[in-house]
Amino acid sequence: VQLQASGGGLVQAGGSLRLSCAASGRISPWYVMGWFRQAPGKERDFVAAIRWLGGNTYYADSAEGRFTISRDNAKNTVYLQMNSLKPEDTAVYYCATGGGSYLYAGGYEFWGQGTEVTVSS
């Protein structure tokens, strides 16, 4: 399984970005796809997740109401629409997929390379 994340960039506070994560290879329909982020000097934190089968979504408190995760099963692609961005959203964003708990990095087996998001004030 390979994951390719894209869509990061520089945006002003209040702006929007849409991240994409294209998956290739054999992925179990029971897996969940998640987005994590890691700011400099900080741990990798959960942002949002979606189940390939059923489409159930989960969000961190920091993302709830501003970010929307969605999937296109035909394209094996997951999106993270980020609105009302804040400087504290600045981080490298990683997509991942796996069969464990959606909330913890250890629950994911496969990781993308990360895409950098910078939100200026």
Side-chain angles (χ1 to χ4, degrees):
V1 174
Q2 290 188 325
L3 303 176
Q4 181 71 40
S6 62
L10 174 64
V11 64
Q12 288 188 334
S16 299
L17 281 174
R18 189 177 82 154
L19 306 184
S20 299
C21 181
S24 60
R26 192 166 185 170
I27 301 174
S28 169
W30 302 106
Y31 275 15
V32 64
M33 176 70 87
W35 286 97
F36 284 72
R37 67 186 183 186
Q38 188 166 18
K42 296 190 176 181
E43 294 184 351
R44 191 169 296 190
D45 293 329
F46 170 74
V47 176
I50 187 167
R51 296 200 178 276
W52 288 108
L53 186 66
N56 297 57
T57 58
Y58 312 92
Y59 295 95
D61 288 345
S62 59
E64 189 78 56
R66 299 188 300 127
F67 295 1
T68 303
I69 190 168
S70 62
R71 78 202 193 292
D72 184 334
N73 284 22
K75 295 182 179 180
N76 265 9
T77 299
V78 171
Y79 306 97
L80 185 67
Q81 177 67 44
M82 305 188 295
N83 299 328
S84 302
L85 282 162
K86 306 174 182 179
E88 50 263 44
D89 294 317
T90 295
V92 177
Y93 284 70
Y94 297 89
C95 60
T97 193
S101 169
Y102 68 84
L103 191 57
Y104 302 104
Y108 295 80
E109 299 173 41
F110 305 100
W111 290 81
Q113 84 287 3
T115 185
E116 189 166 1
V117 172
T118 302
V119 184
S120 63
S121 57

